[in-house]
Amino acid sequence: MNIFISYTNNGKRSDVQVKIYIGVDGGGTKTEAAAIDIQGKVISRYTGSSTNPYVVTFEGAMQELMNVLDQLLAPLSSSISTYAIQGICLGMSGISTIQEKENVISSIRDYQEERGLSFPISIRTEAEISLMASLEREYGILVISGTGSNTYGITSNGEIYRVGGWGHILGDEGSGYQIGLLSLKTVIKSLEGMLPPTSMTKAITDAYDFSHISELKGYVYKSSIGRNDIAAFARYCVEAAEGGDLLAQSILQDQARELAETTTTLIGKHKELEQTDVVCTGSIFRHSTVFRNGFRDILLNRYPKLSFIQGRHNHSPADGGARLARKLYATRA
């Protein structure tokens, strides 16, 4: 999806060169990109698919990243006579080592050569662009609970700490994947009488057009079913919990506790993290009050000087990346 703002003069395209800054939020499920002007106004936005190399291979990730950039820039030629890309800042899941960053930069350099472009490139953590989006600064604590989960702590001196982010097999405590998986296990245990009835059973049966919940087995063991498909079941847990389902509430409370333990370990890495701003992001935090309140209550009981921020600005992480690019390269000639 693209949005863009036309720079016009009495209905005609402006001939004034517009300086733009690009931010990219690359994830395991989707990749969002935004372009802003020097005033911070979003002039183009595009959402593509995954650019996590551990989900789609490095080659596939780079191919999609180039497609996202092409689609982001395409509308600008019809709305702006001339524009100059001043810089790009990317926060990409699955890209953390020096070698991985160098490989991404090399791919973008190839892209620039093919398109006749030239602009500086910065690869930052997803925490930095998300904190910039919410706080308009790069330090604090970021806790992510979406399809996967992760925690970051960044001090005012720029020291970066991370606990979690090991993926759905080795970690992802408190994530949509784990909640979805536990929801499936719960409805099966309910079917067999090991647990009481749950409203999740009917919700899943209706949503997937099963004649009986036992058909779930044939669905989840298909070779085509992956991490995102399992994580999609978390929505039925969240909805059931909001409706008072005790089993669903228990799943969310347990997973909130798991993520709180991960975050507690993160906070123990540096004293400053005990009294900073905490930004919670991702679909589970966004949609589940049971999960959100449970997580918050545990941490505030342990660290009462923490401040939980909902986000002072209505910016996406991709917007945060673009704003960080502007901060880094606004003085570029």
Side-chain angles (χ1 to χ4, degrees), residues 26 30 34 39 56-58 62 65 118 135-136 142 161 183 211 214 217 252 254 279 291 295 300 323 329:
K30 63 182 179 180
Q39 285 78 36
V56 295
T57 74
F58 182 80
M62 292 304 97
L65 176 60
S118 177
L135 306 176
E136 293 198 342
L142 178 74
Y161 301 93
S183 300
S211 59
S214 59
K217 181 178 180 180
L252 292 169
D254 287 346
V279 174
F291 185 92
F295 175 83
L300 282 178
R323 281 165 172 75
Y329 307 118

Side-chain angles (χ1 to χ4, degrees), residues 76-93:
L76 299 183
S77 60
S78 62
S79 61
I80 303 173
S81 179
T82 59
Y83 63 86
I85 303 172
Q86 299 298 292
I88 185 172
C89 183
L90 307 96
M92 300 179 66
S93 64

Side-chain angles (χ1 to χ4, degrees), residues 279-297:
V279 174
C280 298
T281 187
S283 57
I284 304 301
F285 277 120
R286 188 163 55 251
H287 296 297
S288 175
T289 56
V290 173
F291 185 92
R292 185 170 61 249
N293 292 341
F295 175 83
R296 182 178 180 275
D297 290 347

Side-chain angles (χ1 to χ4, degrees), residues 238-251:
V238 170
E239 291 170 357
E242 297 297 324
D245 189 291
L246 296 180
L247 291 179
Q249 290 178 355
S250 179
I251 291 171

Side-chain angles (χ1 to χ4, degrees), residues 104-123:
V104 172
I105 290 173
S106 177
S107 295
I108 297 176
R109 293 292 187 214
D110 290 342
Y111 171 84
Q112 290 177 325
E113 186 174 348
E114 292 172 3
R115 304 299 191 275
L117 301 171
S118 177
F119 50 83
I121 304 162
S122 178
I123 299 179

Side-chain angles (χ1 to χ4, degrees), residues 137-212:
R137 68 168 197 251
E138 301 134 89
Y139 62 91
I141 291 174
L142 178 74
V143 184
I144 303 167
S145 177
T147 300
S149 68
N150 211 339
T151 67
Y152 291 91
I154 304 177
T155 70
S156 55
N157 290 329
E159 299 171 69
I160 300 175
Y161 301 93
R162 186 178 84 167
V163 177
W166 291 97
H168 67 290
I169 295 176
L170 298 178
D172 273 354
E173 296 84 4
S175 68
Y177 175 85
Q178 293 296 343
I179 292 167
L181 182 62
L182 289 170
S183 300
L184 296 178
K185 291 182 176 182
T186 296
V187 298
I188 294 303
K189 288 182 179 180
S190 177
L191 170 66
E192 296 197 320
M194 291 183 281
L195 289 174
T198 169
S199 61
M200 291 187 288
T201 300
K202 185 177 188 307
I204 292 171
T205 301
D206 290 348
Y208 287 82
D209 200 26
F210 297 150
S211 59
H212 191 268

Side-chain angles (χ1 to χ4, degrees), residues 4-8 12-14 43 74-81:
F4 63 91
I5 297 169
S6 179
Y7 282 77
T8 61
K12 298 179 181 180
R13 289 192 305 169
S14 172
I43 58 176
L76 299 183
S77 60
S78 62
S79 61
I80 303 173
S81 179

